[in-house]
Amino acid sequence: MPPAKSITIIGGGLAGLTLGIGLRQRGVPVTIWEAGRYPRHRVCGEFISGNGPAVLGRLELLERFEQAGAVYARSVMFVRGASRSPVRRLSAPALCLSRHEMDALLAGSFQQLGGELLVNARWTSGESREGVVRAAGRRLQTAEKTPRWFGVKAHVSSASQLNLDADLEMHVSPSGYVGINRINGGEVNVCGLFRPREGNRQPGSKPDWLRGETGSLLRERLGAVEFEADSFCSVAGLQLKPQRASAKEECCIGDALTMTPPVTGNGMSMAFESAELAVEPLAAYSQGRLNWTETQQQIAQRCDVAFARRLVWARFLQWMMISPALQGRFGSLLLRSNWLWQLMFRRTR
Ligand SMILES: Cc1cc2nc3c(=O)[nH]c(=O)nc-3n(C[C@H](O)[C@H](O)[C@H](O)COP(=O)(O)OP(=O)(O)OC[C@H]3O[C@@H](n4cnc5c(N)ncnc54)[C@H](O)[C@@H]3O)c2cc1C
């Protein structure tokens, strides 16, 4: 038997670490290059919904998440201006765990399985190479294109500071949206995605973006709370246009492949799913049963089949959430439509 070929993964976020774990479970030699270190906060709603929990279960990670204190969200409410949706039950519970704990937990699991994790190690080559998978996260817009989205996240130390009607409250405005949900340790995640609008007076600071406009329910919820200073993080210039894996030169998974609008709460699930979809072809490559071109093609094809439809619906949902055309009466009608909510929930995951 020839020796197993090793795999290099660029990026030790959710996709990279999950892939590393899946490959180590099959005995494949793996090295992950991670530009940062653990633990660290990330801009994220920390709300895993869709197929994510099932993938974690298959990789024997779900129990670890639960032991780390992950809590389940079972209900959701949308708020837009003066209109509120009814509190709705999620058809499957979502798993909520701080990225501070989540990424460190996955990094530890990968190392326990014998994976090599290089921290503070940035991969600098932009070339596509055999045996190398890019899991380096979201692509940022470099050119001055519009719209320019940016995200902000912070934690509130105790849920008792807030009076929430649902496990996840999603507050929508024409500038974007803010999600509020309970996470592990009795803390609350507050995370928003925004698009500064020309001619409008913009909030001066990150906490002000999260707290929302005067008079809104969001402001009522968050006006007096204290955010944990060290949990603040932000990211600018997000690229939300869907991408196809088969159009990429490199082998990519997670956000490096494509980003879904955060309102779906499905990005982390897509990171776990794309990692799982890549395990089998990469293990076959490592054992010499597939060449690199075949491996890359198989991964791309599996990801495109899994994600193409949900990305189209996710784009439509993102537009619906922020479109000025859907403000006012029509907007509040949509908010109350159970049929529309069920359709969007099903189709975006
Ligand atoms: C505002 C906002 C809210 C969100 N809320 C949710 C939510 O509630 N639920 C949900 O499911 N998803 C949510 N998401 C999406 C989710 O955060 C991502 O889909 C998920 O983190 C993708 O995982 P990833 O591993 O692909 O990328 P990341 O988690 O970003 O990991 C990429 C890693 O690669 C490293 N890296 C980058 N470049 C290099 C390099 N050159 N060399 C070495 N390492 C490198 C980075 O340091 C990082 O650790 C949200 C996103 C945003 C912006």
Side-chain angles (χ1 to χ4, degrees), residues 9-17 33-36 38 40 42-49 99 103 121-124 134-138 150-152 181 191-193 235 238 253-256 258-260 262-271:
I9 301 171
I10 311 169
L14 302 183
L17 290 167
W33 288 60
E34 168 51 45
Y38 311 92
R40 74 284 172 88
R42 309 282 298 170
V43 177
C44 186
E46 300 170 338
F47 178 93
I48 305 171
S49 93
R99 293 289 301 267
D103 291 41
R122 179 170 289 277
W123 182 273
T124 50
R134 186 168 289 273
R138 46 192 78 123
F150 73 94
V152 182
N181 54 286
C191 183
L193 184 78
V235 60
L238 296 169
I253 56 168
D255 278 4
T258 187
M259 228 189 129
T260 185
V263 64
T264 60
N266 199 238
M268 288 191 281
S269 179
M270 284 175 60

Side-chain angles (χ1 to χ4, degrees), residues 151-310:
V152 182
K153 193 283 292 275
H155 289 172
V156 177
S157 62
S158 162
S160 62
Q161 291 188 56
L162 285 149
N163 194 11
L164 299 178
D165 287 334
D167 294 339
L168 168 66
E169 284 190 3
M170 188 62 90
H171 296 255
V172 187
S173 76
S175 313
Y177 41 83
V178 174
I180 313 177
N181 54 286
R182 294 183 195 92
I183 52 170
N184 52 301
E187 296 190 11
V188 176
N189 170 299
V190 182
C191 183
L193 184 78
F194 308 100
R195 180 178 56 170
R197 291 186 307 152
E198 263 176 44
N200 276 24
R201 206 165 61 82
Q202 311 295 349
S205 65
K206 287 179 203 165
D208 286 343
W209 276 101
L210 289 178
R211 285 195 165 102
E213 288 167 15
T214 310
S216 63
L217 182 66
L218 183 58
R219 178 60 70 106
E220 203 180 292
R221 295 279 196 255
L222 299 175
V225 302
E226 274 190 35
F227 292 113
E228 283 177 27
D230 69 347
S231 68
F232 260 109
C233 41
S234 58
V235 60
L238 296 169
Q239 164 75 268
L240 296 179
K241 202 166 151 212
Q243 311 281 315
R244 285 186 74 80
S246 41
K248 302 236 164 218
E249 254 181 54
E250 283 181 291
C251 183
C252 297
I253 56 168
D255 278 4
L257 163 58
T258 187
M259 228 189 129
T260 185
V263 64
T264 60
N266 199 238
M268 288 191 281
S269 179
M270 284 175 60
F272 299 136
E273 287 176 71
S274 58
E276 190 185 36
L277 291 170
V279 168
E280 206 187 291
L282 286 168
Y285 163 78
S286 173
Q287 292 154 4
R289 288 187 284 115
L290 287 181
N291 67 34
W292 185 243
T293 308
E294 290 163 341
T295 306
Q296 222 177 314
Q297 278 169 354
Q298 276 203 15
I299 296 170
Q301 204 179 8
R302 286 167 165 227
C303 289
D304 284 342
V305 168
F307 304 137
R309 194 192 63 172
R310 86 175 81 153

Side-chain angles (χ1 to χ4, degrees), residues 43-213:
V43 177
C44 186
E46 300 170 338
F47 178 93
I48 305 171
S49 93
N51 299 324
V55 176
L56 293 173
R58 287 194 287 275
L59 292 171
E60 294 165 20
L61 292 166
L62 186 58
E63 214 176 305
R64 292 192 182 207
F65 274 50
E66 288 170 342
Q67 281 162 1
V71 295
Y72 283 95
R74 295 189 161 79
S75 59
V76 61
M77 180 178 86
F78 283 81
V79 183
R80 184 178 199 154
S83 312
R84 297 180 193 198
S85 76
V87 175
R88 294 199 167 95
R89 210 174 159 73
L90 294 166
S91 50
L95 195 62
C96 304
L97 180 68
S98 161
R99 293 289 301 267
H100 195 262
E101 270 70 51
M102 198 189 304
D103 291 41
L105 183 161
L106 292 172
S109 302
F110 172 68
Q111 286 176 308
Q112 277 166 17
L113 287 163
E116 184 184 18
L117 180 58
L118 310 175
V119 292
N120 292 323
R122 179 170 289 277
W123 182 273
T124 50
S125 168
E127 283 169 29
S128 168
R129 292 198 198 166
E130 181 165 333
V132 177
V133 180
R134 186 168 289 273
R138 46 192 78 123
R139 289 157 299 109
L140 301 178
Q141 282 179 353
T142 42
E144 279 302 310
K145 286 185 197 154
T146 52
R148 290 183 66 83
W149 292 100
F150 73 94
V152 182
K153 193 283 292 275
H155 289 172
V156 177
S157 62
S158 162
S160 62
Q161 291 188 56
L162 285 149
N163 194 11
L164 299 178
D165 287 334
D167 294 339
L168 168 66
E169 284 190 3
M170 188 62 90
H171 296 255
V172 187
S173 76
S175 313
Y177 41 83
V178 174
I180 313 177
N181 54 286
R182 294 183 195 92
I183 52 170
N184 52 301
E187 296 190 11
V188 176
N189 170 299
V190 182
C191 183
L193 184 78
F194 308 100
R195 180 178 56 170
R197 291 186 307 152
E198 263 176 44
N200 276 24
R201 206 165 61 82
Q202 311 295 349
S205 65
K206 287 179 203 165
D208 286 343
W209 276 101
L210 289 178
R211 285 195 165 102
E213 288 167 15

